[in-house]
Amino acid sequence: MLTNEAYRPINCDDYDNLELACQKSWTLSLELKNGEQLNARATDMVSRKNVEFLAIDLSGEVRELRLDHIASFTHPELGTVVVSESD
């Protein structure tokens, strides 16, 4: 996915679930819209230049995922959440 495409905010409930995952340092199973699948610990929510990111720890490597590039995420406390755009 292009990183210079217009950012599309995600649904507030989905954002809140990701924020909770960061607060509890949960490991999430993430599927990105490009098909990439990751198992990583959620560490922080970051906003930069009106684009929101989920910071993850992927086996010691820190990555930031644009929220609008996440297709879904799964955790036993949340079930599977299909990320939708904000209304």
Side-chain angles (χ1 to χ4, degrees):
M1 300 214 156
L2 299 174
T3 55
N4 61 352
E5 69 191 53
Y7 177 72
R8 304 200 52 160
I10 66 170
N11 178 289
C12 290
D13 290 337
D14 299 341
Y15 184 96
D16 290 346
N17 284 326
L18 288 171
E19 201 167 47
L20 177 65
C22 291
Q23 291 169 358
K24 298 198 176 259
S25 295
W26 284 343
T27 297
L28 302 174
S29 295
L30 297 143
E31 182 173 350
L32 305 184
K33 290 182 178 177
N34 67 4
E36 185 178 3
Q37 296 190 5
L38 308 166
N39 286 312
R41 186 171 57 86
T43 60
D44 199 8
M45 302 293 282
V46 180
S47 181
R48 191 178 312 108
K49 296 182 181 178
N50 297 319
V51 178
E52 297 168 311
F53 298 86
L54 171 66
I56 58 170
D57 180 338
L58 183 64
S59 302
E61 174 192 353
V62 176
R63 278 184 65 182
E64 291 182 354
L65 307 174
R66 273 180 54 150
L67 299 188
D68 62 340
H69 288 184
I70 300 172
S72 66
F73 56 93
T74 304
H75 184 272
E77 296 286 326
L78 300 172
T80 297
V81 177
V82 176
V83 177
S84 58
E85 294 177 0
S86 181
D87 294 332

